[in-house]
Amino acid sequence: MACVLEAPLRMSVLSEVTASSRHYVDRLFDLDPQKVLQGVMLLYLLQQESSSTELRTECAVVLGSLAMGTENNVKSLLDCHIIPALLQGLLSPDLKFIEACLRCLRTIFISPVTPEDLLYTDATVISHLMALLSRSRYTQEYICQIFSHCCKGPDHQTILFNCGAVQNIAHLLVSTSYKVRMQALKCFSVLAFENPQVSMTLVNVSVDGELLPQIFVKMLQRDKPIEMQLTSAKCLTSMCRAGAIRTDDSCIVLKTLPCLVRMCSKERLLEERVEGAETLAYLIETDVELQRIASITDHLIVMLADYFKYPSSVSAITDIKRLDHDLKHAHELRQAAFKLYASLGANDEDIRKKIIETENMMDRIVNGLSESSIKVRLAAVRCLHSLSRSVQQLRTSFQDHAVWKPLMKVLQNAPNEILVVASSTLCNLLLEFSPSKEPILESGAIELLCSLTQSENLALRVNGVWALMNMAFQAEQKIKSDILRGLSTEQLFQLLSDSDVNVLMKTLGLLRNLLSTRPHIDHIMSTHGKQIMQAVTLILEGEHNIEVKEQTLCILANIADGTSAKELIMTNDDILQKIKYYMSHSNAKLQLAAMFCISNLIWNEEEGSQERQDKLRDMGIVDILHKLSQSSDPNLCDKAKTALQQYLA
């Protein structure tokens, strides 16, 4: 809404504002937009230097009340540039006026419609707010609240950190005012989140001779308000994940983790249970020992099953407000439970078994995969991915519940963040021992995976090739041909020249799996031989790491194991020279891989072996084998001796 602030105000309005703002505020929340617009005129008065400080303070108070109304009210105020006007007010010498401006700013910034970046448009604003922290407990409370709401992501964290947030806010943790302590704590929880620089600084800061981690630990004791316990647990969690506190430190194992498990219990409010479970999932996500400790603390795995029981059956709820509240939090509860189950089951087979044996767990995950909420779907897929790392579960529970069906459905049409986790899960379901492999193939997975390899998203390209690699392992010839047809030679080359080494390694792994067992090797090389040899040459000539070159030489060794395919190597002098070069390489892995090629080419029992042996002898291969038979590396020595025996036989 465009607002005209210059319109003159009647004196009666001024007297209303100065005498008592109550009647005026009532009109501000009127449904008539004209009356609301009239309220916005206060902004004009607020900015007039000629107005008395009392009047300007009263205007800021009324504007703050207006901002507490609907989101449309806030949008109107933002359109009228209320933020620059209030920030200008902070330059006043009058403390009461400053506090009123800050209170109004706080109300506006905590509204979901206010862009956080508006706080950072002028570089001097943050420094000025830091300076105002010392003025009163109200300036401390409001400024900390503004910072914690407007600190979204690393850029904001860096600005606040560089402006001295840690030093200026630390002492507020021991303020006599609970509200100030709480807002300062919230500030640190957002400043430290996924930020090693802030976390490493916090761990060494002390207030009144006590280090911050010790202060945080005191704040998560059972006698403290729940809000304080949760927020200090979040601070310690962020510091632990950033490496500032060790995962086996007693403040994590004996204080933070048990506190977060407590937050998951039935006694807690639904929103507290959500926050507790999500924070705990983050704390234990990458640490096996913390996952084990959490899994046996207060029957957590069973306790989480209760998260799926909201909203309670309608007959049990007579209070409509309660039903509305339960419905609102039901999605969040399921999301949090899936996240925590995913973290708990990330590494330990016994924990995964306990999770899957929890009542109706697989059904809940399957239902979660088709929920309307993207966040719940993502968390359900993450949970499934975590559990799919279990060989035992892939063979049993995953098969019993035909998990692959809803997973394939998710893969048909989902945002990238879900696709990445879902395709990772599919990679596991395509391992050779998984009974799901067959039905997944029949449901058109090859086409889907080939399309993923063309994605601009790196993780999706990796997963697409990875899944095809798993699919090709010990597969029948028809499947291998379908993969090559689906990929096309052009796309295969594209993947082999991908700038990311993971994509390259997985593509080489795919090629190696395709080129296994003689009839398959001969068949594929008869149709794609020229292109594959070209790709191999390019990689062996390129600037690639040892692992890439080793994998490429292993592909050559597989080709050399074919019956007709080996002629593609024997008639290619360039490739033969490369194999010879790698036999004398300084890296033993590459030498060994090159020797596999030679062994397969000279094997006596195969037709044409004499001609191949003669050609390779003329190239000086036998001399290199003699040298290698004296090698100090037992593998190289044995392989060279075995190869030489083929010449003597």
Side-chain angles (χ1 to χ4, degrees):
M1 183 195 301
C3 306
V4 183
L5 293 184
E6 285 70 25
L9 286 165
R10 297 190 317 279
M11 283 310 294
S12 58
V13 175
L14 295 189
S15 57
E16 277 176 25
V17 174
T18 47
S20 164
S21 60
R22 183 64 258 156
H23 166 61
Y24 205 75
V25 171
D26 288 343
R27 292 169 67 185
L28 295 180
F29 295 109
D30 201 293
L31 291 173
D32 181 350
Q34 285 309 113
K35 290 184 181 174
V36 175
L37 187 60
Q38 202 177 13
V40 179
M41 300 301 185
L42 290 168
L43 213 42
Y44 173 78
L45 286 174
L46 181 85
Q47 296 173 90
Q48 296 308 302
E49 297 288 336
S50 56
S51 303
S52 70
T53 306
E54 290 78 10
L55 173 57
R56 291 169 77 197
T57 304
E58 192 71 23
C59 287
V61 171
V62 178
L63 285 164
S65 300
L66 175 56
M68 285 179 183
T70 64
E71 288 183 0
N72 280 337
N73 286 6
V74 177
K75 281 179 186 165
S76 295
L77 291 170
L78 289 172
D79 288 342
C80 296
H81 310 294
I82 188 170
I83 290 179
L86 291 167
L87 290 173
Q88 188 65 30
L90 299 182
L91 299 172
S92 161
D94 187 275
L95 182 58
K96 286 277 173 263
F97 179 49
I98 289 172
E99 288 173 351
C101 288
L102 282 171
R103 193 183 303 114
C104 186
L105 276 167
R106 181 271 316 266
T107 306
I108 285 167
F109 273 120
I110 64 177
S111 166
V113 300
T114 308
E116 297 84 16
D117 283 331
L118 290 176
L119 184 67
Y120 303 95
T121 46
D122 181 344
T124 61
V125 168
I126 304 294
S127 300
H128 187 62
L129 288 171
M130 293 292 178
L132 290 175
L133 276 169
S134 58
R135 295 292 299 273
S136 74
R137 75 179 183 86
Y138 295 112
T139 64
Q140 291 167 351
E141 180 193 336
Y142 304 145
I143 290 169
C144 283
Q145 203 170 354
I146 290 168
F147 285 162
S148 61
H149 271 277
C150 294
C151 184
K152 299 278 194 283
D155 292 347
H156 295 166
Q157 288 171 327
T158 302
I159 294 169
L160 292 170
F161 180 79
N162 290 341
C163 287
V166 173
Q167 298 81 345
N168 284 295
I169 296 170
H171 69 280
L172 303 183
L173 290 169
V174 294
S175 163
T176 52
S177 158
Y178 170 76
K179 284 183 176 177
V180 171
R181 289 201 304 281
M182 198 54 237
Q183 293 306 334
L185 191 58
K186 283 183 177 174
C187 246
F188 283 130
S189 88
V190 294
L191 277 170
F193 182 64
E194 292 185 342
N195 193 312
Q197 185 187 28
V198 174
S199 296
M200 293 294 186
T201 305
L202 290 182
V203 84
N204 295 314
V205 172
S206 62
V207 179
D208 296 346
E210 202 168 17
L211 287 166
L212 284 196
Q214 295 168 318
I215 294 173
F216 293 148
V217 166
K218 280 185 178 174
M219 288 175 146
L220 53 71
Q221 287 170 349
R222 288 169 186 262
D223 60 338
K224 297 289 186 288
I226 295 299
E227 173 187 39
M228 184 172 270
Q229 289 184 48
L230 248 176
T231 314
S232 48
K234 284 167 89 171
C235 290
L236 289 160
T237 293
S238 290
M239 291 165 77
C240 178
R241 283 299 306 266
I245 300 175
R246 287 167 55 104
T247 53
D248 58 359
D249 191 300
S250 62
C251 78
I252 298 297
V253 178
L254 302 178
K255 301 289 183 183
T256 310
L257 187 146
C259 168
L260 290 169
V261 173
R262 280 202 308 275
M263 296 302 148
C264 299
S265 72
K266 266 185 174 174
E267 285 68 55
R268 300 270 50 88
L269 296 173
L270 298 188
E271 41 268 65
E272 291 162 0
R273 295 173 79 184
V274 167
E275 208 171 340
E278 294 211 331
T279 308
L280 183 55
Y282 180 53
L283 174 66
I284 68 173
E285 188 178 16
T286 57
D287 191 90
V288 188
E289 200 45 45
L290 289 181
Q291 289 158 11
R292 287 187 184 133
I293 295 166
S295 73
I296 54 168
T297 304
D298 294 353
H299 309 288
L300 177 65
I301 291 175
V302 177
M303 198 192 318
L304 281 177
D306 189 64
Y307 278 47
F308 295 95
K309 295 175 182 171
Y310 293 88
S312 317
S313 59
V314 179
S315 58
I317 300 180
T318 48
D319 180 359
I320 199 71
K321 273 189 177 174
R322 160 88 188 283
L323 175 62
D324 190 47
H325 177 263
D326 282 12
L327 278 167
K328 183 167 168 270
H329 289 289
H331 286 314
E332 293 172 4
L333 282 161
R334 288 197 294 278
Q335 180 191 345
F338 282 139
K339 275 187 186 173
L340 186 43
Y341 277 137
S343 285
L344 283 163
N347 294 288
D348 189 286
E349 192 64 28
D350 292 336
I351 298 175
R352 289 186 198 123
K353 190 169 183 292
K354 279 186 197 166
I355 292 171
I356 284 175
E357 286 170 358
T358 307
E359 52 174 323
N360 306 326
M361 192 60 211
M362 291 308 287
D363 291 334
R364 282 175 176 149
I365 294 174
V366 167
N367 292 337
L369 293 176
S370 56
E371 282 221 19
S372 56
S373 158
I374 284 188
K375 287 181 174 179
V376 178
R377 284 212 305 278
L378 178 59
V381 175
R382 279 206 174 121
C383 183
L384 190 66
H385 179 236
S386 182
L387 299 174
S388 74
R389 294 184 180 127
S390 161
V391 176
Q392 181 59 34
Q393 300 311 330
L394 283 173
R395 285 182 170 149
T396 53
S397 309
F398 275 54
Q399 190 57 14
D400 298 344
H401 291 81
V403 165
W404 64 270
K405 283 184 184 173
L407 186 67
M408 286 297 287
K409 201 173 171 189
V410 166
L411 281 160
Q412 302 300 331
N413 182 24
N416 275 2
E417 56 178 343
I418 291 182
L419 274 181
V420 169
V421 191
S423 54
S424 288
T425 312
L426 193 64
C427 288
N428 292 344
L429 291 182
L430 286 167
L431 290 164
E432 84 278 8
F433 50 73
S434 165
S436 308
K437 185 172 180 176
E438 204 64 38
I440 290 172
L441 275 166
E442 288 163 11
S443 69
I446 292 176
E447 190 183 343
L448 175 86
L449 294 170
C450 288
S451 69
L452 286 186
T453 68
Q454 298 174 27
S455 171
E456 286 181 15
N457 181 297
L458 172 60
L460 287 179
R461 286 205 305 283
V462 172
N463 287 349
V465 185
W466 195 341
L468 288 170
M469 181 184 89
N470 288 350
M471 193 183 270
F473 183 76
Q474 294 181 353
E476 55 194 66
Q477 189 171 304
K478 183 191 178 304
I479 291 168
K480 292 181 177 181
S481 299
D482 287 348
I483 291 172
L484 275 170
R485 199 175 304 114
L487 262 187
S488 81
T489 316
E490 192 185 342
Q491 179 57 12
L492 194 59
F493 267 94
Q494 198 72 41
L495 293 167
L496 288 169
S497 54
D498 200 287
S499 57
D500 184 80
V501 73
N502 286 324
V503 174
L504 179 53
M505 280 297 282
K506 293 288 177 281
T507 309
L508 292 170
L510 166 61
L511 260 180
R512 196 173 165 184
N513 285 350
L514 290 169
L515 294 165
S516 62
T517 73
R518 279 187 186 167
H520 297 180
I521 295 167
D522 290 334
H523 175 75
I524 288 169
M525 292 308 287
S526 71
T527 54
H528 294 80
K530 189 182 168 192
Q531 296 92 330
I532 289 172
M533 294 303 284
Q534 203 179 334
V536 165
T537 309
L538 281 172
I539 291 168
L540 290 177
E541 284 175 352
E543 292 290 316
H544 294 291
N545 66 29
I546 299 295
E547 284 71 27
V548 167
K549 298 213 166 179
E550 182 192 13
Q551 189 81 296
T552 309
L553 286 166
C554 288
I555 289 169
L556 270 181
N558 282 15
I559 295 168
D561 192 38
T563 306
S564 57
K566 51 167 59 82
E567 285 311 306
L568 285 162
I569 296 176
M570 290 307 299
T571 54
N572 189 327
D573 288 346
D574 186 23
I575 285 284
L576 288 173
Q577 287 299 335
K578 285 180 170 53
I579 295 170
K580 179 184 174 182
Y581 165 77
Y582 284 109
M583 283 176 76
S584 305
H585 198 276
S586 57
N587 185 283
K589 281 184 176 178
L590 296 182
Q591 287 179 285
L592 204 55
M595 297 252 283
F596 273 110
C597 297
I598 295 298
S599 293
N600 285 345
L601 290 171
I602 62 174
W603 207 253
N604 254 326
E605 293 152 23
E606 289 166 15
E607 194 184 331
S609 62
Q610 190 59 55
E611 289 87 343
R612 289 192 293 275
Q613 285 182 7
D614 292 345
K615 180 168 183 176
L616 293 172
R617 180 189 278 113
D618 294 345
M619 280 179 63
I621 296 292
V622 175
D623 297 338
I624 300 173
L625 287 174
H626 278 299
K627 261 188 213 166
L628 291 172
S629 67
Q630 309 299 315
S631 169
S632 57
D633 183 311
N635 287 334
L636 281 175
C637 179
D638 290 351
K639 197 73 187 161
K641 284 177 179 172
T642 308
L644 283 168
Q645 280 166 6
Q646 297 302 308
Y647 274 93
L648 300 171

